[in-house]
Structure formats: structure tokens, C-alpha cells
Amino acid sequence: MPHAPRPRGPKPIRMDPDRILDAAQEVFARDGLRAASLRAIAKQAGCDPALIYYHFDSKEAMFTALLARRFPPILQELEVVAAADDPRPTALRLWEVVRIYHRHLKADPAIRSLIRGEIVRGAEGLSGLIEVRIRPIVMAIRSILDQGITRGDLRADLHTLLGTFFLARMHLEILDLLPTVLPRLMGLPHDQAVETGLHVWFDLYWRGIARDPLAPLPPLPELAAAPLAIKETRP
Amino acid sequence: MPHAPRPRGPKPIRMDPDRILDAAQEVFARDGLRAASLRAIAKQAGCDPALIYYHFDSKEAMFTALLARRFPPILQELEVVAAADDPRPTALRLWEVVRIYHRHLKADPAIRSLIRGEIVRGAEGLSGLIEVRIRPIVMAIRSILDQGITRGDLRADLHTLLGTFFLARMHLEILDLLPTVLPRLMGLPHDQAVETGLHVWFDLYWRGIARDPLAPLPPLPELAAAPLAIKETRP
DNA sequence: CCCATGATTCAACATTCGTTGAATTGGACT
DNA sequence: AGTCCAATTCAACGAATGTTGAATCATGGG
């Protein structure tokens, strides 16, 4: 069977590298970085696998390009909240951090699982880039905690670096695991699993770090609504 | 080069299936479930890849056998602490949970990352088994929280299921990420990263769930020492 | 009209993987 | 000594993977 040797390509559409990145993000989210194949990404993008190598150097280069596209907007919003002259009470600023994190990462399991999976074991050059992307984010959140101590909102003996780690990591755990674990473990409806999980978590976390744990939290804005008008990446 | 066609096997040593599981655990811990190859496991065990198929049905069967070997001892110890007639204050019992968790999972990154990686996206039949292994553990910890509420040690509005999730998951995050992330992110020495991380975390967590957050914690036993004499798996 | 050039596809390479069937070994029992 | 069976190894299969070089298409400028 010569299986149709050469019906050569009738596809005169230009393929934007951003479209390939979109496909890569989707496949990475579905299968994880290691299991995601270039052929699957190419099929998702509607092009030939070889075309990916025309626009990117390798699979790893696609991942770094993906990071470069997703992280700066997050950092940009966080640094606004972390500005030293922000007059809002610390609880509200931290909740704003939660909302920013949530809005950017909720619908993007790719980066969540990828950071997680590939940061532990360095994946060679990848870990360096992740570090470059993540360190400023950690520093922004941590500065809010530091300011909270000097303002007298937080307990003086708070370990602000670990406090940042706890806040950010548990957020990702809630996003990643609660929707799949909670319904299977209990009868809980998974619709609002993430929302209620985040609220309960923030209440517990705040009692843990506040100078006065029993003082009630101020009313918290809803998670979903966008707090700041920032232009999105897609024009 | 005919590369030495048939120097057939001069290896008359018996291979205990447990030795293969040991090798699998090591390779799984190093490379992750998906990336770990049977050939690497066989080389680690010092046998032929085909021998693995004589003792186990498949790669997946090895993983479930690994789970079956590691989880029951953890559950056994947890259920002792969770017994309803345990008279110790809730804070000490929860700290005991942390110690048990820590002792069993600290040196076993395989199960930690595998549970994490393969539970989110079901990996077909695997997730069911994981659920069978994990649910009793969750229930044991949760019952301590429930008893803590009725005893008046914990806040009455505590969401005990989410509280269990927070305690267990953050513990794994600390074990997995702190040793690699903290030194790279700061200059922190990674020797005691896990120990200090766990202490700071437990202090924050306890303030979050206690009825009286400002009451000081009782003195906590050291993490490393074994609290109960339980026979280990290797005879 | 032609040709240079960028964009895209085809087909294949070399590896690696999980898995399997046949062959071989080593010892236990008769 | 001979035989049987469990344990182990050999060699290979088929599939999937990342990657590459050559070929084809589309298009715009001369």
C-alpha cells in the first residue's frame, strides 16, 4: 500500500507564532510538559510539527516563550498593590494579591503544573528562567507582609518569606487539587470548591499572621471581578 | 561489529520482588512516574527489564504495589493518634500527625510527587487506588479536628475537611519545595529549611484553627524522634 | 514573467519506550 | 542421572518521540 504518496500541501494560511503558543499552552495544560508531544501541539495548532521548529528552537524554547508571555502581566499588577504608599489595610491588600493570582492562574493549569513539576527537579536551564520570573513575584508579596508588620497590622514575629510561600503555594494547591479531590473525597459540589476553599483559606491564613487574630476581617471584594484595568496580551 | 552475540546469563542470584520495588521507588523518585523507564528500574535493580514483567503485570502494577507497601503503616499510626479516647490536647495530637507524616514521607519523594502528579489528571485506574489509600488518612486527621471542636479546643466554625486539606497539603509542599526553592530564592541554608518551615507553618496553622489563637502552644516534641514503636517494613 | 525569499509540509532518521515470546539457567525432586 | 519448573535473560516488535533536511507552496519585486 503506497498510502497516497504526495497530495502536497494546500494550506495557504499564515500561522502566527502566538497561535502556536496558544496551542502549546492548551496541550501542556492537558498533558503536562513532558508528556505533551510536538505532534499533539501541531495538531492543536493546525499545522505541521516541523513548522514549530521554524518558529522556535526546541520544545524547551516554546516553554520559556510561554513563561515570558504570561508572567509579566501578573508581576505588573502585583507591584501596583505592593507599592509602599498603598493606604489600604493589609488584609485588603493581601486579598487583592489572592484575586490577582486567581484571575491570572485559574484558567491556566499549564503554568501551574509546569512550574510545580519542573521546578523541583531543575529540568536543566528551565529552572533558572523560572527563578527569574518567580523571584520578583515573591518579593512583591513579601514586601506587603513587611509593610504590614511596620504598620502594626501583622504580628511582629512573622516570618515574611515563609508567609509568602504559604500564601502563594496554598493558592495553587487549592486551584489544582480542590476541584478534583473534594468531589471525589466527599459529596461536595465542585462548582464552588475553589471559591469557598480560597475564602476559608484566607480566613485561616489571616488569623495566623494578624497581630490581632480575632479582629474581624473587613468585607472582601468578590474574587472574579477585575480590580484594575490592565490591557490583556491578545490585542 | 557483531557486539558479542550470546554470552548467555551467568547470574544465579534470586531477585526478590521487594528489591525491584526498592529500585522502582528510587527511580520514580528521581525521574517521576512517567519519565521513569523500566530499563532504568531494571538497571537499578541489577536485572533484566523482562524480569519485571515476570513479577509484575505492568508498570502501573508496580506503582500500585508501591502504594500498597507504603500507605498502610502511615494509616496505622495515624489511627492511633485519632482514637477518640486520646486524652492529649488537640494541638499536641495535630503535631503528632505532622511528625508521623514527616517521618514516613520525608525520605520518599517518589510517592509525594507521584500522588501529586498523577492524582490531578486521573491516569485512568490509578486515581481510584490512590483514593482508596488517601481517604482513610484524610478521615483520620479530620476526626481529630472534629473532636477538637467538641472538646472546645478549636473554633466552632472550622471547616474540618478543608482544615485537613490545608494541613496535609502544605506539609507536602514544605517537603517538596522548600529545600530547593528557599536556598535558590534567598541565601537560606537548606539544611534546616524543612524543620523551620514546618514549625513556622504549624504555628500559623494553629492560630488559624484554635478557638483561642493567642494562647501559647504547648512544648512540641522534636520532629525526628519516633513517637511510637511500629515495626518497619524491612525485616 | 520570473525568480528570490519566507512560510509550510513531507518524509525520514535515530532513540527510546513498554511489552512479549522464545530460549536458557539453576536448582529441587525422583 | 534425568526431569520438571520457576526464575531469568535475549532479542526483537511496534509505537511514539524530538528533530532535521529536502522539497513544495505562496507571494511580492524586478
Side-chain angles (χ1 to χ4, degrees), chain A residues 135-155:
Chain A
R135 171 182 270 132
I137 292 182
V138 171
M139 292 313 167
I141 301 179
R142 187 189 192 183
S143 76
I144 298 180
L145 293 180
D146 285 328
Q147 297 165 27
I149 294 179
T150 60
R151 295 181 189 186
D153 291 337
L154 303 183
R155 48 194 284 204

Side-chain angles (χ1 to χ4, degrees), chain B residues 28-194:
Chain B
F28 281 156
R30 176 160 31 89
D31 301 336
L33 172 56
R34 200 153 235 150
S37 75
L38 286 177
R39 286 170 174 84
I41 295 173
K43 179 189 284 184
Q44 173 78 26
C47 71
D48 191 273
L51 181 60
I52 296 180
Y53 282 87
Y54 182 78
H55 290 292
F56 303 94
D57 285 342
S58 65
K59 192 178 173 185
E60 182 177 322
M62 288 188 58
F63 176 65
T64 64
L66 215 44
L67 291 187
R69 194 175 68 160
R70 302 297 273 179
F71 271 102
I74 302 177
L75 179 60
Q76 182 181 349
E77 293 194 39
L78 283 180
E79 282 177 339
V80 171
V81 184
D85 56 354
D86 189 308
R88 283 174 292 185
T90 303
L92 273 184
R93 298 172 77 195
L94 287 177
W95 180 248
E96 211 61 40
V97 168
V98 170
R99 294 175 71 203
I100 294 171
Y101 230 70
H102 187 250
R103 227 166 350 98
H104 281 277
L105 296 180
K106 176 181 170 57
D108 195 354
I111 293 196
R112 302 204 308 260
S113 68
L114 293 193
I115 291 172
R116 163 70 185 219
E118 310 299 323
I119 206 179
V120 182
R121 169 153 335 281
E124 290 81 46
L126 280 186
S127 55
L129 278 180
I130 294 180
E131 184 183 342
V132 166
R133 301 287 176 194
I134 288 185
R135 170 182 270 133
I137 292 182
V138 170
M139 292 312 166
I141 302 178
R142 188 189 191 182
S143 77
I144 298 180
L145 293 181
D146 285 327
Q147 297 166 27
I149 295 179
T150 62
R151 295 181 189 186
D153 292 336
L154 304 183
R155 48 194 285 206
D157 64 336
L158 177 65
H159 193 306
T160 56
L161 181 59
L162 287 177
T164 302
F165 177 83
F166 297 153
L167 181 64
R169 285 309 315 176
M170 187 57 83
H171 196 149
L172 293 187
E173 290 293 287
I174 290 172
L175 285 175
D176 276 337
L177 293 181
L178 270 195
T180 45
V181 163
L182 271 198
R184 221 185 310 172
L185 220 50
M186 317 292 297
L188 266 172
H190 97 295
D191 292 347
Q192 301 177 326
V194 170

